Amino acid sequence: MWTRFIDLITSLKLTIVCLAAAMALIFAGTLAQVHFDIHDVQERYFQSWLVWWPADTHGFRMPIFPGGHLIGAVLLINLVAAHARRFRWNRQKLGIHLTHAGLIIMLAGGLFTDLFAVESHMRLVGGDTKNYSTDQRLMELVVIDTTDPETDQVTAIPEAHLRSSRPIDHPSLPFTLVVKNFYPNSRLQVLSQAGPNVHPIANQGPGAQIAVQSVPRASAPDERDVESAAVEIIPRKKDDSGGQRETLGTWLVSDALGAPQTFSYGGRNWLIALRQARYYKPYSVTLQKFTHDRYAGTDIPKNFSSKITLIDPERSVNRDVLIYMNHPLRYRGETFYQAGFDKNDQATILQVVHNPTFIAPYVACIVVALGLLTQFGSHLIGFSRRRRTAMA
């Protein structure tokens, strides 16, 4: 049994099957971009272990094809196992060993990049200072204690917890949050415009006058989902009679609402809102100047750059940095790219990438190049020697 398993994971047939499956997956993912957003296609086909049908996250689903992570992982195991099984140290095969090692590093680096890399954005207007970036694909529910005039205590609850029906008990909160409804994409309307038979899903705050309608997920490149949820706030403490205190009501939180909603409990002031997930940094970035140059007589961008000030008290860093196309800022394991700007040229948009394996492709290319040079160089030297011997 063990011998058959070893034969399977080291066989060339498994390699061919994985390559064929990868080609089919790429073809299917390319066609799917006609109906879905490119980020959704990446998550469903290339950044998943299995491809599920139907694509909708609600209701019954079944796996129909291996995803990009599974194909890449099996191909990586196949390559490592085959090389380890057939490895025999020989100076003449040094180039082949180096080439295989480079391919292994490349596959492993690509897999770990998909699993652990995080992309976010930082939007800055002239003079703005921020110590966080936001994720445009993920949301979070935040409950903020604003009682202290100098410091806000922020409790952030990831989007994944909102999708489940389990109550949310956080040690920093004196109440329990119960998600009554969650909408991956929604449309908000004032009750007077929604129709006579439509009822609000909230009974507190502005949400009591708003109707929420579930709509299909956004698929166009210029569209984005508007997530909404109805959250009931239930105090944990019980009254003197032993019964549970009355609920603080159900609140509508949505990406479409402009400002956080306020309420009071336990002698403290609170804010509740649904916003894009934030990744806080131990340093801050200040935009000094944004420059956008165009080709004369056209609106075609010629160059756009951001001059920022990087301040890190922990490392005593305070310096100016110019970020422009193909010249990013790399600091503390993160890379800042000049990604875009607002139409009025008043704000810059920096893409922040945290990729712990960003060096893997460079190492892989160097190792593969050394392996090819060694392999072909040794054959060239041997051929030259045989030719000189024959001529002599």
Side-chain angles (χ1 to χ4, degrees):
M1 185 66 180
W2 177 251
T3 304
R4 290 183 179 180
F5 177 73
I6 295 298
D7 292 339
L8 174 63
I9 65 172
T10 59
S11 66
L12 181 60
K13 293 180 180 179
L14 180 60
T15 306
I16 296 175
V17 170
C18 289
L19 294 177
M23 295 175 63
L25 186 67
I26 293 172
F27 181 74
T30 303
L31 294 181
Q33 294 183 31
V34 177
H35 305 286
F36 301 100
D37 179 64
I38 185 172
H39 296 286
D40 292 333
V41 172
Q42 288 178 342
E43 292 178 359
R44 294 172 180 174
Y45 290 86
F46 308 118
Q47 297 177 343
S48 62
W49 294 99
L50 294 170
V51 178
W52 297 85
W53 182 86
D56 190 5
T57 57
H58 301 285
F60 173 77
R61 295 190 305 163
M62 59 181 297
I64 58 174
F65 203 78
H69 285 171
L70 182 58
I71 295 175
V74 173
L75 191 60
L76 176 62
I77 294 173
N78 173 247
L79 182 60
V80 173
H83 187 63
R85 185 181 188 184
R86 299 175 177 86
F87 179 80
R88 297 293 184 274
W89 171 250
N90 190 332
R91 183 178 299 178
Q92 296 179 351
K93 294 184 178 181
L94 177 60
I96 296 178
H97 297 326
L98 288 174
T99 304
H100 278 81
L103 293 175
I104 292 172
I105 295 173
M106 187 175 298
L107 284 173
L111 180 61
F112 285 115
T113 295
D114 274 347
L115 291 175
F116 303 111
V118 177
E119 294 185 5
S120 56
H121 289 80
M122 182 181 290
R123 182 182 178 274
L124 296 168
V125 184
D128 274 359
T129 299
K130 287 186 177 180
N131 65 337
Y132 64 87
S133 57
T134 58
D135 194 322
Q136 296 184 332
R137 303 289 300 175
L138 294 177
M139 305 294 293
E140 64 182 10
L141 176 67
V142 291
V143 182
I144 307 174
D145 183 355
T146 61
T147 307
D148 190 337
E150 297 183 357
T151 305
D152 292 342
Q153 180 179 337
V154 181
T155 303
I157 300 165
E159 176 185 326
H161 293 278
L162 303 181
R163 296 179 180 272
S164 63
S165 58
R166 291 175 297 181
I168 301 172
D169 287 310
H170 197 278
S172 64
L173 301 177
F175 39 75
T176 299
L177 303 176
V178 180
V179 180
K180 312 294 280 187
N181 303 90
F182 179 78
Y183 302 90
N185 193 16
S186 60
R187 182 185 297 114
L188 274 60
Q189 288 181 305
V190 180
L191 283 178
S192 59
Q193 302 175 357
N197 297 324
V198 179
H199 303 282
I201 61 175
N203 54 26
Q204 296 291 330
Q209 303 299 323
I210 297 177
V212 182
Q213 179 184 2
S214 178
V215 296
R217 300 292 297 272
S219 58
D222 57 344
E223 296 179 351
R224 58 186 298 268
D225 293 331
V226 178
E227 298 186 5
S228 302
V231 180
E232 184 179 11
I233 304 176
I234 303 176
R236 293 183 187 175
K237 294 182 179 180
K238 298 181 179 180
D239 55 25
D240 296 336
S241 61
Q244 186 72 28
R245 282 190 177 182
E246 293 185 0
T247 174
L248 299 180
T250 301
W251 301 75
L252 171 64
V253 291
S254 175
D255 191 24
L257 296 178
Q261 301 174 69
T262 62
F263 66 94
S264 298
Y265 174 71
R268 309 187 73 84
N269 301 321
W270 303 86
L271 295 178
I272 184 171
L274 188 67
R275 69 185 185 189
Q276 293 179 342
R278 293 184 179 183
Y279 305 112
Y280 286 91
K281 325 291 181 186
Y283 54 88
S284 63
V285 174
T286 302
L287 178 63
Q288 300 295 344
K289 182 180 180 182
F290 173 70
T291 304
H292 179 198
D293 300 327
R294 299 177 177 87
Y295 287 98
T298 69
D299 290 332
I300 302 176
K302 180 180 180 181
N303 176 55
F304 46 97
S305 60
S306 302
K307 182 180 180 182
I308 59 115
T309 299
L310 177 66
I311 301 177
D312 188 347
E314 292 183 3
R315 299 186 177 182
S316 301
V317 174
N318 189 338
R319 58 187 175 96
D320 293 337
V321 181
L322 184 64
I323 303 175
Y324 55 101
M325 298 300 293
N326 299 322
H327 286 78
L329 164 67
R330 291 185 172 88
Y331 188 73
R332 281 205 175 201
E334 294 183 319
T335 306
F336 289 75
Y337 297 94
Q338 181 64 63
F341 50 89
D342 284 357
K343 294 182 179 180
N344 56 8
D345 291 353
Q346 297 299 315
T348 183
I349 300 175
L350 302 177
Q351 183 183 29
V352 186
V353 179
H354 174 69
N355 182 11
T357 59
F358 77 95
I359 198 68
Y362 303 101
V363 175
C365 290
I366 293 174
V367 175
V368 169
L370 289 175
L372 294 176
L373 288 175
T374 302
Q375 186 68 17
F376 288 108
S378 62
H379 284 282
L380 179 61
I381 294 173
F383 174 77
S384 299
R385 288 177 179 175
R386 290 193 297 270
R387 184 179 181 181
R388 285 196 301 266
T389 302
M391 292 178 63

